[in-house]
C-alpha cells in the first residue's frame, strides 16, 4: 500500500477533516509517474561506451542560464504539464495550477496529495549539465534541455528528496527505492547521450556498475 503524507499542522477540526480525506485518498487509484520510457539496458550500455569521459568544471553555473518552466500551451507551463502527466485525478484551475490530485514519487515510494509537496526533478541536473558541456550551449539549447518533455528528463518526485539530490550524479546519489535504479540510470545515460554531455570517471564507473544488472 502506498504511503501518503501531509505537511500541515492541523487544528482538531482540521485534523478530523484530514482524517476523512485520508481515508478517501487511501481508496483512490495509485498514481504512477509517467516518465517517458528510457532506452533498454543494452542500449544504455552501448550509449555509455561512446560518451566522452572528462573531469567536470565546477565553475560558472547559474540556474538563470537555463530558462525553465516555459509556457507549453495555453496557460500551462512545463511544471504544470508534468504534474498533470505524472499525477492521478489531477484537477487544474483556469490558470493551469493543480488544485487536487495525487502524485507517486518513484524515487522514495511516497504519494502526495498536494502539488506543493512535489518537485519536478531534472533527472540530469542543470548544474551537472553545465559542468558536462552545456556551458558552451546557446541559451535556446539550454532552454530545450530544461523543459524537455520528450526525453526521460523531467519527473514529479517528493520535494525534499529532489532537494537532497541537488546536482549530484549517480556516483554520489541514487533513488532510495532500489527497484527504480535501473530505470534511473538508463534515463540518465539516454539524456546525456542525446545532448552529447560528458561523464566524469566516477560517474561512468557507477553507471557501468548499475547498468550491469539492467
Amino acid at each position: 500500500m502506498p504511503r501518503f503524507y501531509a505537511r500541515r499542522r492541523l487544528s482538531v477540526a482540521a485534523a478530523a477533516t484530514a482524517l476523512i480525506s485520508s481515508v478517501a485518498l487511501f481508496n483512490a487509484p495509485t498514481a504512477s509517474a509517467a516518465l517517458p520510457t528510457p532506452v533498454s539496458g543494452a542500449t544504455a550500455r552501448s550509449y555509455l561506451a561512446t560518451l566522452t569521459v572528462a573531469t567536470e568544471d565546477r565553475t560558472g553555473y547559474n540556474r538563470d542560464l537555463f530558462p525553465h518552466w516555459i509556457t507549453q500551451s495555453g496557460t500551462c507551463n512545463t511544471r504544470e504539464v508534468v504534474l498533470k502527466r505524472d499525477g492521478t485525478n489531477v484537477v487544474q484551475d483556469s490558470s493551469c495550477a493543480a488544485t487536487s490530485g495525487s502524485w507517486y514519487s518513484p524515487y522514495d515510494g511516497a504519494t502526495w496529495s498536494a502539488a506543493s509537496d512535489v518537485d519536478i526533478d531534472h533527472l540530469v541536473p542543470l548544474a551537472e549539465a553545465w559542468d558536462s558541456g552545456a556551458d558552451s550551449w546557446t541559451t535556446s539549447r539550454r532552454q530545450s534541455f530544461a523543459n524537455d518533455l520528450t526525453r526521460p528528463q523531467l519527473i514529479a518526485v517528493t520535494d525534499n528528496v529532489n532537494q537532497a539530490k541537488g546536482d549530484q550524479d549517480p556516483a554520489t546519489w541514487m533513488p532510495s527505492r532500489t527497484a527504480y535504479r535501473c530505470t534511473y540510470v538508463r534515463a540518465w545515460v539516454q539524456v546525456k547521450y542525446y545532448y552529447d554531455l560528458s561523464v566524469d570517471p566516477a560517474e561512468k564507473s557507477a553507471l557501468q556498475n548499475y547498468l550491469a544488472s539492467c
Side-chain angles (χ1 to χ4, degrees):
M1 180 175 291
R3 294 172 286 155
F4 289 84
Y5 298 84
R7 294 192 180 125
R8 307 290 183 268
R9 293 185 177 179
L10 303 173
S11 66
V12 173
T17 301
L19 178 60
I20 294 169
S21 297
S22 66
V23 171
L25 192 54
F26 271 113
N27 292 324
T30 300
S32 58
L35 182 79
T37 302
V39 295
S40 68
T43 299
R45 287 190 291 272
S46 69
Y47 283 179
L48 179 60
T50 70
L51 295 182
T52 299
V53 178
T55 302
E56 294 178 355
D57 175 17
R58 289 284 178 177
T59 60
Y61 168 70
N62 184 331
R63 188 175 178 85
D64 291 340
L65 296 171
F66 291 80
H68 53 285
W69 305 166
I70 61 171
T71 299
Q72 293 288 343
S73 64
T75 60
C76 299
N77 67 26
T78 307
R79 171 182 164 82
E80 292 151 351
V81 169
V82 177
L83 284 173
K84 178 71 171 179
R85 182 198 73 185
D86 288 6
T88 293
N89 298 329
V90 177
V91 176
Q92 296 173 307
D93 63 20
S94 59
S95 63
C96 207
T99 57
S100 64
S102 62
W103 292 269
Y104 174 74
S105 170
Y107 287 1
D108 58 335
T111 299
W112 300 95
S113 58
S116 59
D117 289 327
V118 178
D119 277 357
I120 307 305
D121 180 37
H122 289 96
L123 195 138
V124 175
L126 303 183
E128 166 70 23
W130 176 269
D131 297 334
S132 304
D135 56 338
S136 66
W137 291 354
T138 63
T139 299
S140 175
R141 185 160 178 79
R142 286 194 287 265
Q143 176 175 295
S144 296
F145 177 83
N147 297 276
D148 191 345
L149 295 169
T150 303
R151 263 62 55 181
Q153 165 66 346
L154 298 174
I155 185 170
V157 297
T158 302
D159 56 359
N160 59 1
V161 171
N162 181 50
Q163 291 152 23
K165 171 187 170 180
D167 63 358
Q168 298 179 81
D169 68 35
T172 56
W173 188 93
M174 285 290 285
S176 61
R177 279 187 66 242
T178 57
Y180 199 69
R181 290 178 177 177
C182 182
T183 300
Y184 186 82
V185 293
R186 285 157 46 213
W188 183 283
V189 171
Q190 180 179 346
V191 171
K192 283 226 159 176
Y193 178 84
Y194 179 82
Y195 285 98
D196 194 24
L197 294 169
S198 64
V199 290
D200 65 50
E203 175 188 355
K204 181 173 183 177
S205 178
L207 290 167
Q208 287 174 324
N209 289 338
Y210 285 113
L211 285 171
S213 58
C214 288

